[in-house]
Amino acid sequence: MSRWTDRILLEFPQDLSRFWIAADPDDLLLDEHILSSLRERGFELLPFEDPIAFRTEYEERYRAAWARGVPAPSRALILHLRGTEVDTLPWDYLRTGRRTSLGLAKLFPNLSYSVVRQIGSEYYEDLFEAQAQHNPQSMGDGATKDFILTHIFKISPYLISRPEDLWRELLRLHYRDDGLPAVLAIHVANVLGAKAAFSTLPIGDLFSSKSFLLRAVQSAWDRFLATKGVIGSRAADGKPPEELPDAAIPFEHPDVRVIVDSMFLDGMLQPLEAQERPEHVPDWARIGIVDNPNAVERLVIDATQRLATELPSIEASFRDWLLLSRRLGEIIYRLHGVKLDHAGTIETHVAAIQKAADEHLRAWVTRHYADLPSLPAAKSPVMVHHVPRYISLRHDPRQTRVALLVFDGMAMDQWIQIREFVAQREPGLSFEESACFAWLPTLTSVSRQALFSGLRPREFANSIDTTSQESALWSRYWQDHGLRANEIFFRKAIQRAAQLPELASAISNPSIRVTGLVVDTIDEIVHGAVLGKRGIASQIASWCETGFIERLFGMLLDQGFHVYVTADHGNVDAVGVGRPNQGAAPEMRGERVRTYRSEILAEFLPAGVDAFRLDVAGLPADFLPLYAGTRGAFVRQGEATVAHGGVSVEELIVPFIKVSRAA
């Protein structure tokens, strides 16, 4: 356990009280490792965001149990207040609760509070350790920024003087998916902007935005290969190359070359498709050129072997899993792009990494998934039910228009396929890409309702087995955030380009401020699939050819919407493990999961069926899932299918994308 975690836990001595009130304006308790440590010590944290929801949970699950003298769900409950106005809480809470308070100013007394609060909670643990080791004197804003850059990001802008210094630091930073917070990126830009070698570069954007950096590197790579006589084509991402900053990247420098090599392996950069590779092109550059089918095969195999050594551990952060899902998605996308007669060897390697990743994920989910629902959504949604809150924090819907597109059933690899196609057709579009966790079980009625409602499934228990209430839940969320009913739009079953004129007319009403749309083409394709995910990729390509997706994006952007894209769950290739013969026992029969309303029925499983139970906090108490093991499905033994509902990287972690037009 780290010093940071130990310091936070000092505020909560065990067995001192069973009801706590924690004033935490900086969300220090809403960290996955802190939440996990609290849970291990018998504490459960419940955010005080909706007084009625909190009262219901507190009365039904905790106070009633304490009054009867029976065990509650945990030994102690923490009321988490995201502020300092404790005295505004109900009188009975104040009378029985033990109070404590936390804050960045208290824990980092010698650093600038205004700077520390802007860097992100994922850096607090390392910063606390650096503070303990170096014992800094009282610092102002500038000195605090330099301290954080030096000890957390290992960057000193004052020592960057040559192009290779700059690009080594930029590539290293973004390869770790660790772009600088805006407050630090601006500071670095001010320091480097004074140096003639960098005065024409958009330093702040390069340090803070991974997508901007990758577009710059991709464009520069094409120009570099052109100087070597390699002419080819690729799907453009974002701005046309001629509009990107004229950044001469020293690709041949060893420090730069080794990171670029890794970026091609992981799919961050796309190789140039070329008819041939001239003899004088150096061997190290071949990873960024596709001149024959064997080049793609080698690229995918190398990427899977590299990923196999870097799978997240049981103690990994959720961010490590989000990054892995994107790397794995790139590998699967490339696999489906290889002709079938060249794919055999690759499929063996990819299947091995998929199996290993799923085994690691299942162990991680068992220990840490319960902590995810309570994590803050201000920087990026961690779970799909955080998405409405994230959007409402980023945009005031009374001032701006927002559209949320839910591509039902879209896995990460399928988003990457769509992204590459759309970027080629509409190079003026830009994609800020991240990911988030779906709800378990990864069924539409569970995860998509959570996505549109902003609620945990336990809070819509009456409709958990249907999707008929999604429109009402979407409307209720936004009405609770100040909008009127006529300012909220919702539409399902959007699939074809022919539907777009009517949709454009419907949302053209300027009174509409938020729009929720369900695009269910991929889910329809999945449920009719007979040739596995490879066949689905072919059908998605045909769907993209109709122009539906770029026209949908363009229509929404033209009407002034901020556009976000996500999915409720993904999908996975699976093989039948047999159908449990339980008569009419299951309430919901999925191919990767079955759910029950009785503990007795959920525990009963015929011999020989590979399946497991996993209790998930946030589900109704009488909603009990039984999951097919490994990549199994509850269909005829040995039958191949594409399904969802289970615990795999491809089902559980979905894309979350901001679509915009490049400035």
Side-chain angles (χ1 to χ4, degrees), residues 10-79:
L10 279 176
E11 301 288 333
F12 301 95
Q14 288 179 286
D15 302 322
L16 194 59
S17 175
R18 62 187 180 187
F19 183 47
W20 294 74
I21 297 172
D24 181 20
D26 299 312
D27 289 343
L28 301 184
L29 293 178
L30 301 185
D31 171 88
E32 58 184 313
H33 296 303
I34 299 296
L35 289 170
S36 179
S37 297
L38 284 169
R39 182 170 285 110
E40 290 174 1
R41 292 163 65 96
F43 291 85
E44 186 70 27
L45 181 143
L46 191 60
F48 189 78
E49 296 174 341
D50 182 332
I52 296 175
F54 184 92
R55 173 69 73 178
T56 301
E57 186 87 355
Y58 170 67
E59 294 286 345
E60 293 182 357
R61 303 183 71 225
Y62 289 90
R63 200 180 69 81
W66 296 335
R68 295 195 308 270
V70 299
S74 61
R75 290 203 305 267
L77 174 67
I78 301 172
L79 181 156

Side-chain angles (χ1 to χ4, degrees), residues 148-224:
I148 295 171
L149 284 169
T150 300
H151 297 290
I152 306 305
F153 295 95
K154 313 303 180 187
I155 292 173
S156 175
Y158 305 100
L159 300 180
I160 297 175
S161 58
R162 303 171 300 171
E164 52 266 37
D165 300 332
L166 173 68
W167 290 101
R168 179 187 62 244
E169 297 304 327
L170 282 169
L171 294 171
R172 178 181 60 83
L173 189 73
H174 288 295
Y175 180 69
R176 300 196 317 257
D177 205 31
D178 210 16
L180 292 184
V183 65
L184 301 182
I186 293 170
H187 180 65
V188 172
N190 290 336
V191 174
L192 295 184
K195 301 182 180 182
F198 312 126
S199 60
T200 62
L201 294 177
I203 297 296
D205 290 335
L206 289 170
F207 271 98
S208 63
S209 173
K210 182 176 181 177
S211 64
F212 188 88
L213 180 281
L214 292 179
R215 292 199 303 270
V217 176
Q218 188 78 74
S219 177
W221 179 255
D222 292 353
R223 296 197 300 270
F224 168 75

